[in-house]
Amino acid sequence: MTDTIHVNLAERSYDVLAGPGLIARAGELIAPFAPSGRVFVVTDKNVASLHWPALMASLDAAGLKSWTVTLPAGESTKSFAGLEQLTRGLLQHGIGRKDLIIALGGGVIGDIAGLAAGLTMRGVDFVQMPTTLLSQVDSSVGGKTAIDVEEGKNLVGLIHQPRLVLADQDVLKTLPARELLCGYAEIVKIGLINDRAFFEWCEANAQKLLALDPEATSTAIRTAIAAKARIVEADEREAGPRALLNLGHTFAHALETAAGYDGALLHGEAVGTGMALAFAHSAQLGLISNQDATRVRNHLAHAGFNTDLRRAPGAPHDISQLVALMSADKKAEAGKLTLILARAIGDAFVQKNADAEKLTAFLKEESQ
């Protein structure tokens, strides 16, 4: 069964299809968005070995001509060098403004392919075909595209909405447990932001989801995508409530930058740690009860996340370095910290001009 979630953004509206067997149907579903009959697939070496042949067969069956640019796997591809390799590859293959780019891969491929689509020929349409749980429930929806730089994660990018998202539930069977856990971070995040009942569902069903129980997986993906779609509709450019989707991410992005994007710390793993820290900091500030903060931390730890800053890859011994990285996050304003904190489970809010001294003291305590 395929779920269809509509993202209503006026002339930039699109559907997200989630369910099994969508790669086999990709050609027929994508063809209406490829008026030239030409598509350019962007993928990485790992994904290509697993899913590229099936996609090619589907595109061929629909009469679409295709070219492929294959990039190295891993976060390090999200760089100026990776972007140059991709855009020049597309141009060398002869891409035109009426052609279509297909992003076949996880969040790295979706981010860099979407950015290349927004830049190449001053804007080419693209379709997201996310192949990780994290990219299916989060990064493929909403149009955020970016690369990383030494100064921080996702600091160079733009918002370029896809024309269609195809989230094939079958591809999740090829993922290692670590990647499934990364996706779960973005799923449980929805409950922590504004849906306490869904958090309670996660408490009861996390292990079923991580074991890819079909019903639990379908429910989690549908709920997370629908929740993100509604937030994006209300705030496409992240001027207000969309910032709530960054719960845990200011901590996470700083940890990822400190770790050097070398694979020791994956994005979803960092988000899991970051959400535990966000709730613990909220409790220290007296915003929520210690009971709620402990409940969140215990659940995240039980699911498999590291919730101990001392064991986080890339956590610097100099906490001031971590705070400096957090202050450079793209949500910061005029150098002032912006954090997503919580008043309760299911009641997160945006805290602008967060107190850096209190944050530093909290992180020092967590690191001892």
Side-chain angles (χ1 to χ4, degrees):
M1 179 179 175
T2 300
D3 292 308
T4 300
I5 301 99
H6 185 65
V7 184
N8 187 3
L9 294 170
E11 71 276 6
R12 296 177 306 286
S13 297
Y14 54 95
D15 287 333
V16 182
L17 274 59
L22 290 174
I23 289 182
R25 297 176 54 204
E28 64 176 280
L29 295 169
I30 288 171
F33 304 100
S36 69
R38 293 157 40 103
V39 298
F40 292 76
V41 178
V42 180
T43 189
D44 68 42
K45 293 180 179 179
N46 292 345
V47 173
S49 66
L50 294 168
H51 308 301
W52 182 82
L55 176 59
M56 288 301 102
S58 183
L59 296 175
D60 288 344
L64 296 171
K65 296 180 180 179
S66 64
W67 292 262
T68 301
V69 178
T70 304
L71 300 172
E75 186 76 23
S76 60
T77 290
K78 270 181 58 173
S79 62
F80 276 115
L83 182 63
E84 180 181 11
Q85 179 184 351
L86 174 53
T87 52
R88 293 190 67 186
L90 293 169
L91 293 169
Q92 288 165 6
H93 283 311
I95 192 170
R97 296 184 72 178
K98 297 296 185 182
D99 296 331
L100 182 75
I101 292 173
I102 300 173
L104 176 69
V108 168
I109 290 299
D111 276 6
I112 195 169
L115 180 55
L119 295 173
T120 303
M121 313 295 290
R122 296 199 176 104
V124 176
D125 285 343
F126 81 113
V127 167
Q128 289 272 22
M129 293 189 63
T131 59
T132 63
L133 182 58
L134 188 151
S135 58
Q136 289 191 3
V137 300
D138 185 61
S139 60
S140 66
V141 180
K144 283 188 177 181
T145 72
I147 56 172
D148 307 327
V149 292
E150 290 185 8
E151 291 75 13
K153 184 179 174 69
N154 293 335
L155 293 183
V156 177
L158 50 80
I159 293 180
H160 184 49
Q161 300 293 348
R163 297 300 308 279
L164 178 71
V165 179
L166 300 179
D168 190 333
Q169 194 171 313
D170 287 337
V171 306
L172 303 179
K173 300 171 185 176
T174 66
L175 294 178
R178 193 178 174 199
E179 288 286 354
L180 291 172
L181 185 64
C182 284
Y184 181 66
E186 302 289 359
I187 290 170
V188 71
K189 177 188 76 176
I190 296 299
L192 293 173
I193 289 171
N194 62 8
D195 191 342
R196 188 183 182 100
F198 183 59
F199 174 73
E200 292 170 350
W201 181 93
C202 288
E203 286 183 306
N205 292 279
Q207 297 308 314
K208 289 182 180 179
L209 170 59
L210 292 169
L212 292 180
D213 172 81
E215 183 177 349
T217 302
S218 178
T219 297
I221 291 174
R222 179 178 64 250
T223 302
I225 292 174
K228 181 164 188 181
R230 301 296 83 81
I231 292 174
V232 170
E233 289 171 352
D235 181 21
E236 182 182 6
R237 310 295 299 186
E238 199 173 85
R242 185 170 179 176
L244 292 173
L245 293 169
N246 289 298
L247 175 67
H249 284 57
T250 305
F251 294 96
H253 289 166
L255 289 171
E256 288 180 89
T257 301
Y261 312 118
D262 61 358
L265 181 66
L266 300 179
H267 175 64
E269 294 170 334
V271 170
T273 302
M275 290 190 296
L277 291 171
F279 272 78
H281 187 40
S282 297
Q284 187 197 53
L285 294 172
L287 298 170
I288 64 171
S289 67
N290 288 323
Q291 182 180 6
D292 269 2
T294 300
R295 180 178 176 182
V296 170
R297 176 167 264 173
N298 287 345
H299 174 67
L300 292 170
H302 180 67
F305 294 105
N306 166 46
T307 62
D308 186 343
L309 180 60
R310 295 168 297 182
R311 295 191 292 112
H317 296 294
D318 182 1
I319 291 300
S320 63
Q321 179 188 349
L322 191 64
V323 175
L325 288 170
M326 293 175 70
S327 297
D329 188 81
K330 60 185 180 298
K331 296 181 293 302
E333 295 182 5
K336 300 293 186 180
L337 274 166
T338 296
L339 297 176
I340 312 304
L341 300 176
R343 301 183 185 92
I345 295 172
D347 185 11
F349 69 99
V350 180
Q351 176 65 68
K352 295 187 177 182
N353 298 320
D355 191 317
E357 290 186 4
K358 290 182 178 179
L359 175 65
T360 301
F362 163 73
L363 290 173
K364 285 182 177 178
E365 184 177 327
E366 287 286 317
S367 64
Q368 291 176 356

